[in-house]
Amino acid sequence: MTEPPEEQGHLTGPDVEHLAAVLRRLREELADATGVRIGQGTVVHGVATHMWAGVPVPAVACHAAVDPLRLSPAPGPVTCRRCLSRSRQEQRQVPGQTSLLNEQA
């Protein structure tokens, strides 16, 4: 006996397909943005991508908001301290690990 798709961890149905299409379009709209705002907020967050039901959705780098539909493009630099802190951490080499970048002089 096979489980319904919802119980197998796969979401289906016209409502989910519509939401996935909206999220794809929003991700495309935010692709060129240097930052995003959450709702009417004044803080500019870094843009990240998370996977939801197999669809890449826009998100803020600091995880301050879970609803991607509240995000809007923001001009100017990122001002969120957590987003800035995460971006600096990602750029640093972890001690004891080999760098994957080929450093040439």
Side-chain angles (χ1 to χ4, degrees):
M1 178 177 201
T2 62
E3 297 177 22
E6 291 84 2
E7 293 179 20
Q8 295 175 359
H10 302 286
L11 302 173
T12 60
D15 291 338
V16 172
E17 291 172 15
H18 173 71
L19 180 58
V22 168
L23 291 170
R24 278 190 207 99
R25 186 174 62 243
L26 180 60
R27 181 67 195 131
E28 290 171 7
E29 290 172 6
L30 297 176
D32 294 330
T34 57
V36 294
R37 286 195 166 94
I38 302 169
Q40 299 298 317
T42 58
V43 176
V44 178
H45 296 271
V47 182
T49 300
H50 295 283
M51 294 301 287
W52 175 81
V55 177
V57 297
V60 292
C62 65
H63 303 282
V66 294
D67 184 0
L69 299 177
R70 293 185 61 212
L71 304 181
S72 60
V78 172
T79 59
C80 171
R81 288 183 180 189
R82 287 192 295 179
C83 290
L84 291 170
S85 173
R86 286 181 183 267
S87 68
R88 281 192 291 270
Q89 289 173 354
E90 291 171 5
Q91 294 173 0
R92 280 191 242 145
Q93 176 64 32
V94 176
Q97 283 189 339
T98 304
S99 175
L100 297 177
L101 299 176
N102 183 10
E103 297 178 17
Q104 297 178 357

